[in-house]
Amino acid sequence: MADFDKDSKQPLVMDVQQVVKQIIAGYENFEKRASHWVQKDGIQNCWDARKCEKNEDKKWKCVIELHQNSKKSIVSITDYGTYGLTGKRLDKKELQKEQPVKERWCRFENYAFSNKAKKKERHLLGSRGRGKFVFSGASDTMTTLYDTLRDDKVYRLGRRIVEKLDAPTWVEEDQKAKEILIDQTEGLLQPLKHVGTRIIIMEPSKELVEDIQDGLMEQFISETWWEIIEKFDAKIIVKNGKDSKTVEPVTKKFPCSLMTQTKISRPKTSPDQKIFIKESVPIPSTKYRIKKLYILYDPNQTFDDRQVGISVQRDGMSITHHHIDFLGSNLSEHITGYVTVDEQFQGAMREQEGPEHYSYNWSKAPTSYLSFIIKKLCKEFATEQLGWKEGQSAKTTKSDKKADDRARNKANEVAKRMGFGKGKRTITKTGKTTKTKKNPKLVGIQLNDLAFPNE
């Protein structure tokens, strides 16, 4: 049979830097702040590597830390209560075969080796393997290190640099690895002394550094990982020099918590707050159920884009928020909540989940069935407790009027501070009224990170 000369074979050459930029662009479609995807993928990696699935021994912990001196900044993500990077470095021939989850080292170093949702491994959040390049994208030089200590006492240090046509990794072990770490980080880091893994982002972006310094990173973690903090007592810590903060779940601000509802009753922050809770609700056209739907309406709070709507949970992580714009902005902007589903249904949801773990395809089964029941229950809540009626978007409700009043009062307050409005009225000593004339002012409006509701 005629065939090509074997010496004419040439491998595909890729612009790897461009591939990484495209991966990052995928994340930016859903979330502009690099620190948000760093914490989401970083903690996901740590949580997937835990030894105790339900953290019964309370040994799991994740620490995100900013290290700085006068010349250098480094961000590290360190896990505790995990296995470390087990397994060995595999060659191309071995990598052609499907490798078990315990081959953590080769999975970490290579790209697109997915976690299959096997029955005993359903709790794994990662599925595509692209998250490791999030850390490269958060580095101004696309350089990352990692070090790991395993149960067999092997200490290993690795480095990845995303180059134009490759993203190679280097590795050393034991004493030489320790010397390289100290040298490469200029003494900011010392080798790991506990079993686990540490991801090290060299030359982190200014945005990432600032979000750790000003507490925004802590807020992102609180909103993304509240469920494992409440349910499994997972400890997630953000450190900046001597400043160390253990993240508290965003649900701590709710009148009742997810896991301890019968034990903890918190005072309402507003007399107009309304709460709606439904448990064990059948999901139409499936054999599965919603474990819990929690909705909080607070007319005195306007929730931002990361909080508004119903947080859809999978395996303890907030994947996305199901928006409820159909209720009208005067209601939907003041509603937040979450939904949790059966463990078996979570496995089915993975198939319709975006590779960045920020979205679901709501138009395709089975997530379309979940979307249907969320909308139905939200309408039930709004009708029973908020006076909402189907198709009444143009009709002003009692809550709409309150919202209008608050907006008008706030606008007047801002205008007054800026010196807008009619001329100032003054009464002289003789009783005459005078009016100061105002000069028009030039106003500029800047919209940062403008996002449209769909593509």
Side-chain angles (χ1 to χ4, degrees):
M1 180 187 293
D3 200 356
F4 292 95
D5 189 320
K6 63 179 182 180
D7 294 331
S8 71
K9 180 181 177 181
Q10 183 172 334
L12 172 68
V13 177
M14 290 190 298
D15 185 335
V16 181
Q17 288 183 345
Q18 192 61 35
V19 171
V20 173
K21 287 176 182 177
Q22 289 171 359
I23 290 173
I24 297 304
Y27 282 84
E28 289 177 333
N29 283 337
F30 302 102
E31 172 57 61
K32 297 298 182 184
R33 305 299 291 184
S35 54
H36 199 286
W37 7 287
V38 165
Q39 63 85 21
K40 196 168 191 176
D41 269 286
I43 296 170
Q44 174 202 297
N45 287 343
C46 300
W47 186 240
D48 276 355
R50 65 194 183 276
K51 287 183 174 179
C52 290
E53 183 178 338
K54 297 182 179 180
N55 195 33
E56 296 94 340
D57 59 5
K58 308 300 180 188
K59 291 182 179 179
W60 185 89
K61 181 170 66 172
C62 177
V63 180
I64 298 178
E65 186 169 3
L66 172 63
H67 313 261
Q68 286 183 306
N69 58 24
S70 58
K71 298 179 181 179
K72 202 174 193 68
S73 294
I74 294 172
V75 171
S76 66
I77 305 171
T78 310
D79 61 36
Y80 297 74
T82 61
Y83 291 97
L85 295 179
T86 55
K88 58 186 186 297
R89 235 181 183 185
L90 304 178
D91 59 28
K92 285 186 177 181
K93 186 176 180 180
E94 291 173 304
L95 287 170
Q96 289 182 35
K97 305 172 186 176
E98 184 177 336
Q99 297 296 329
V101 172
K102 66 181 181 180
E103 292 291 347
R104 294 177 175 86
W105 186 15
C106 75
R107 286 176 175 275
F108 184 80
E109 283 199 330
N110 296 287
Y111 173 53
F113 291 87
S114 62
N115 285 326
K116 303 295 182 183
K118 295 177 182 176
K119 212 168 190 180
K120 63 180 180 179
E121 296 160 1
R122 269 198 188 120
H123 65 279
L124 297 176
L125 280 158
S127 59
R128 270 79 166 191
R130 64 172 51 198
K132 60 179 66 67
F133 285 115
V134 161
F135 313 122
S136 301
S139 163
D140 287 340
T141 57
M142 286 194 171
T143 302
T144 55
L145 302 176
Y146 69 84
D147 65 341
T148 184
L149 182 64
R150 311 187 319 188
D151 283 318
D152 59 7
K153 307 303 180 185
V154 170
Y155 174 80
R156 180 176 290 135
L157 174 71
R159 178 179 66 185
R160 166 176 275 121
I161 300 177
V162 178
E163 301 172 348
K164 177 73 174 175
L165 303 180
D166 200 358
T169 54
W170 293 259
V171 67
E172 287 291 350
E173 292 186 354
D174 300 325
Q175 186 57 38
K176 186 175 181 181
K178 295 176 182 179
E179 293 171 1
I180 294 172
L181 174 77
I182 295 169
D183 184 63
Q184 297 266 314
T185 64
E186 298 180 11
L188 282 173
L189 297 181
Q190 295 295 315
L192 281 183
K193 291 183 170 60
H194 69 273
V195 173
T197 304
R198 174 171 54 186
I199 297 167
I200 303 161
I201 302 173
M202 307 295 287
E203 289 78 42
S205 66
K206 181 182 178 184
E207 177 185 292
L208 177 56
V209 171
E210 290 175 347
D211 286 357
I212 293 175
Q213 291 173 330
D214 65 18
L216 200 55
M217 172 72 84
E218 188 182 345
Q219 176 190 325
F220 292 162
I221 296 170
S222 173
E223 294 167 355
T224 305
W225 296 101
W226 61 267
E227 188 179 349
I228 67 169
I229 297 173
E230 275 213 14
K231 188 175 180 180
F232 302 115
D233 195 23
K235 293 288 186 294
I236 306 173
I237 298 168
V238 179
K239 296 181 73 174
N240 174 24
K242 294 182 179 179
D243 185 25
S244 177
K245 293 183 179 177
T246 300
V247 178
E248 294 186 334
V250 67
T251 47
K252 189 171 183 180
K253 302 173 184 176
F254 292 178
C256 65
S257 67
L258 171 66
M259 298 302 159
T260 53
Q261 180 189 339
T262 56
K263 298 179 182 178
I264 298 178
S265 179
R266 304 186 182 99
K268 290 185 177 182
T269 57
S270 162
D272 296 319
Q273 274 185 350
K274 302 291 183 183
I275 299 169
F276 182 82
I277 297 173
K278 287 284 185 179
E279 296 181 289
S280 192
V281 180
I283 300 172
S285 303
T286 76
K287 59 182 179 181
Y288 307 115
R289 289 177 173 269
I290 286 176
K291 289 173 68 175
K292 186 170 186 177
L293 173 70
Y294 175 100
I295 304 175
L296 170 66
Y297 167 76
D298 189 338
N300 295 321
Q301 290 192 66
T302 299
F303 297 104
D304 65 28
D305 289 342
R306 297 186 182 95
Q307 297 175 320
V308 71
I310 308 303
S311 175
V312 182
Q313 301 294 122
R314 181 173 73 78
D315 294 303
M317 177 171 69
S318 174
I319 301 295
T320 186
H321 277 67
H322 192 296
H323 290 290
I324 49 176
D325 300 338
F326 50 85
L327 296 179
S329 60
N330 286 328
L331 287 181
S332 63
E333 290 178 358
H334 307 291
I335 291 176
T336 190
Y338 56 80
V339 62
T340 58
V341 299
D342 286 342
E343 182 180 337
Q344 292 79 7
F345 189 67
Q346 293 180 53
M349 288 171 67
R350 280 171 66 118
E351 301 303 316
Q352 300 306 325
E353 189 176 309
E356 300 85 6
H357 307 301
Y358 275 98
S359 64
Y360 282 110
N361 183 349
W362 294 116
S363 64
K364 197 168 181 180
T367 47
S368 58
Y369 305 138
L370 177 62
S371 177
F372 170 82
I373 193 64
I374 289 174
K375 290 177 181 177
K376 183 180 178 181
L377 292 172
C378 285
K379 288 178 181 179
E380 180 183 323
F381 163 61
T383 301
E384 292 178 356
Q385 298 197 46
L386 306 180
W388 179 83
K389 293 180 181 179
E390 189 84 49
Q392 69 153 24
S393 56
K395 189 176 179 180
T396 303
T397 63
K398 184 178 178 181
S399 61
D400 293 337
K401 188 175 184 305
K402 285 184 178 181
D404 291 341
D405 290 343
R406 286 195 302 274
R408 182 173 56 254
N409 292 338
K410 182 59 69 174
N412 289 336
E413 179 186 327
V414 172
K416 185 177 179 181
R417 290 180 185 175
M418 296 176 68
F420 291 103
K422 297 179 180 179
K424 184 179 179 184
R425 292 176 70 248
T426 57
I427 301 176
T428 65
K429 290 182 180 180
T430 59
K432 291 183 178 181
T433 301
T434 62
K435 195 173 182 180
T436 305
K437 192 174 181 180
K438 289 273 185 178
N439 294 322
K441 293 191 175 184
L442 184 65
V443 178
I445 298 177
Q446 178 177 319
L447 299 176
N448 294 324
D449 297 341
L450 182 62
F452 293 95
N454 55 50
E455 292 180 359

